Amino acid sequence: MNAHEYYRWAKFNWWNYKLFAIQLAKFKKARKILDVGCGNGLLLDELRIFFPNAIVVGLDSSKDMLIVKKQTNVILGKAECLPFKNDFFDIVTCMYSLHEFDLSAIDEIRRVLKTGGLLAVKEINCSAPKWALMHLKILLRMFFDEKTVKKHMDLYQTFHSPEKLIRFLEKSGFEVLKVNKSILDFSVFCRKC
Ligand SMILES: C[S@@+](CC[C@H](N)C(=O)[O-])C[C@H]1O[C@@H](n2cnc3c(N)ncnc32)[C@H](O)[C@@H]1O
């Protein structure tokens, strides 16, 4: 994915990052937060507003995504091999990034989360209705080339359903606290048991 194109798309959807951060804001005691697959860092910016006293760190495997906008406290690295101590973070977020990871990343995320810590995942909804997908495709074409649009649209056919992801998270040692489904995406908030 072209990092500059993605940045334009992300800025167009700025409100989505804010809404996700607002949903997290009630966990106000959090002092250490990690965003895995942070991309251009728009969620990091929002998290820093809602958690002014927390250390907020981003990690992404693409240098291009990290440098397209000036960012602080970000690390080049892989979700499957996180360079952090066990039981370190109060919150870990994955916004539209989990579908790109090997699912072994879930064990890594669990390792770096404190017991009782929160994992918040936002992902595309593979049961989105056709009319919504058509609308999304038109929007994507304003920002990306046809190959990228196709790749993104194909994901909607192949990614886990919310139910499948929830079962996987539960099997991996998380207690699911809340699920928010919307037309094109869904969020799962779960706690490390
Ligand atoms: C669709 S983008 C989402 C970026 C950002 N979270 C957002 O919502 O704007 C997915 C991001 O995951 C990153 N990524 C893919 N595989 C990764 C991995 N194994 N470890 C860390 N980051 C990864 C990509 O480089 C990309 O920045």
Side-chain angles (χ1 to χ4, degrees):
M1 186 181 298
N2 178 303
H4 287 274
E5 285 176 358
Y6 190 82
Y7 184 41
R8 283 182 55 228
W9 168 251
K11 280 195 296 184
F12 177 73
N13 291 297
W14 63 271
W15 49 272
N16 208 7
Y17 299 91
K18 192 170 281 299
L19 285 179
F20 195 39
I22 287 172
Q23 288 182 306
L24 290 164
K26 65 176 174 207
F27 301 93
K28 50 180 179 268
K29 285 190 185 147
R31 289 292 172 267
K32 291 176 197 152
I33 305 176
L34 170 67
D35 184 27
V36 187
C38 63
N40 315 133
L42 271 75
L43 180 62
L44 294 174
D45 293 345
E46 295 298 337
L47 291 171
R48 288 184 182 120
I49 293 171
F50 289 98
F51 296 89
N53 299 318
I55 296 167
V56 179
V57 184
L59 176 137
D60 200 284
S61 61
S62 159
K63 191 174 174 197
D64 288 349
M65 289 293 266
L66 290 176
I67 63 172
V68 77
K69 154 181 171 292
K70 195 170 185 297
Q71 297 201 59
T72 51
N73 255 5
V74 289
I75 295 169
L76 184 65
K78 287 210 156 246
E80 298 81 5
C81 182
L82 295 172
F84 304 105
K85 289 192 286 190
N86 295 356
D87 308 306
F88 191 71
F89 290 100
D90 300 295
I91 299 180
V92 175
T93 53
C94 299
M95 184 165 176
Y96 305 131
S97 53
L98 191 70
H99 63 264
E100 301 199 11
F101 305 160
D102 184 302
L103 278 181
S104 66
I106 297 282
D107 293 332
E108 264 301 86
I109 288 169
R110 191 173 182 282
R111 181 183 66 75
V112 302
L113 259 178
K114 291 178 184 168
T115 302
L118 184 81
L119 166 61
V121 177
K122 194 170 179 69
E123 261 308 335
I124 57 178
N125 185 356
C126 66
S127 48
K130 269 197 175 137
W131 62 264
L133 290 175
M134 284 307 292
H135 179 70
L136 175 68
K137 199 170 177 178
I138 291 165
L139 281 181
L140 286 170
R141 279 185 173 145
M142 290 164 55
F143 293 87
F144 299 104
D145 60 44
E146 205 49 42
K147 200 173 147 205
T148 310
V149 172
K150 182 174 181 323
K151 196 175 153 202
H152 191 84
M153 297 312 296
D154 286 349
L155 261 179
Y156 275 84
Q157 315 300 319
T158 54
F159 192 63
H160 308 284
S161 64
E163 292 71 26
K164 202 170 156 195
L165 183 63
I166 289 163
R167 276 199 302 277
F168 185 79
L169 289 167
E170 285 174 342
K171 266 193 189 161
S172 307
F174 290 93
E175 177 200 0
V176 174
L177 304 175
K178 195 175 167 194
V179 180
N180 288 337
K181 285 189 204 169
S182 72
I183 292 168
L184 282 168
D185 62 18
F186 68 96
S187 317
V188 182
F189 299 85
C190 53
R191 209 178 272 290
K192 173 177 169 182
C193 302

